[in-house]
Amino acid sequence: MNSVFARTLIVNAVTFSRVPLIAGFCVAAVCGELTRSYASEIAACALMLFAGLSDLYDGMLARKWNVVSNFGKMADPLMDKVFFIVTFPTLLWLVVEQGESVAHGLVLLAFTILWILRDLWVTFMRSVASAYGADVAAMWTGKVRTALSFPAAGLVYVHLAFHRLAAAGVQSGLLCAVYALEGFLMLLNAYSFVVYTKAYAPYLRRALARA
């Protein structure tokens, strides 16, 4: 087998591994909540960790092995969308199931909606730009946003899964950290929306002029 082809297959396998990992996280998180099984909750944490590592290492391997491709540039954000669409609603369900504060439920609901809307808009803009030969690789704001989404989701899940084990002071401190991180990520999400829109707006204007 051609070594370049084999390396490309490995990189793509790492990228697409996020689908079963995130699906497994969802199942383990739900089972852990319904059965109060610490084994399921620990498994959910591990699956979340491995999903985050897959996002980190697929790009690193592609650059190291010089197998960066347009397919990979499009597949990676698609897998990130799978992560967002599965993980954040799962976390929102856990908030509701546990009867946590209405405020946190509303914050997480707004976070999830804004996060997914930004992704849909950027995907549309990148699709338009790609028709004109534009570079559609992720920008630094998108990379930071995605990179932080994994530990952020992990922190929220750890709070929801294990808060009953923590002392009241620890619970309060962790919840404050969760709120702060969610707020920061919503601001980063808005900034990323603006950055991508400004970058691809010329291509959108060209497309509209030809419509």
Side-chain angles (χ1 to χ4, degrees), residues 1-191:
M1 181 183 294
N2 182 280
S3 61
V4 174
F5 179 68
R7 290 174 178 178
T8 301
L9 284 180
I10 293 172
V11 170
N12 289 333
V14 173
T15 298
F16 283 94
S17 71
R18 288 206 283 288
V19 173
L21 288 171
I22 292 305
F25 160 78
C26 179
V27 172
V30 171
C31 288
E33 178 62 25
L34 295 179
T35 65
R36 292 293 192 269
S37 167
Y38 292 130
S40 294
E41 291 169 339
I42 292 171
C45 290
L47 289 164
M48 174 76 76
L49 174 63
F50 286 127
L53 291 175
S54 77
D55 181 61
L56 174 66
Y57 281 104
D58 60 353
M60 290 177 58
L61 288 175
R63 290 186 292 273
K64 180 179 179 180
W65 291 342
N66 196 28
V67 291
V68 176
S69 65
N70 286 331
F71 177 81
K73 291 177 182 179
M74 299 304 291
D76 188 59
L78 175 61
M79 295 302 101
D80 293 336
K81 289 174 180 58
V82 172
F83 170 78
F84 304 145
I85 291 171
V86 174
T87 302
F88 295 144
T90 300
L91 295 175
L92 183 57
W93 177 82
L94 288 171
V95 168
V96 174
E97 177 68 18
Q98 293 184 6
E100 207 180 81
S101 69
V102 174
H104 191 199
L106 291 174
V107 168
L108 197 54
L109 176 62
F111 178 93
T112 301
I113 292 172
L114 292 173
W115 206 269
I116 293 174
L117 285 177
R118 177 269 181 199
D119 265 19
L120 292 174
W121 173 247
V122 170
T123 297
F124 167 71
M125 295 288 283
R126 292 172 77 180
S127 297
V128 172
S130 66
Y132 294 93
D135 182 6
V136 295
M139 300 179 189
W140 74 267
T141 55
K143 291 179 179 179
V144 171
R145 172 182 173 274
T146 300
L148 290 178
S149 67
F150 285 91
L155 177 63
V156 175
Y157 179 69
V158 167
H159 162 68
L160 293 171
F162 301 107
H163 69 86
R164 60 184 179 274
L165 296 179
V170 175
Q171 291 180 26
S172 178
L174 186 56
L175 182 57
C176 288
V178 166
Y179 276 134
L181 190 54
E182 289 170 350
F184 171 75
L185 286 179
M186 280 196 280
L187 291 175
L188 180 61
N189 188 66
Y191 180 65

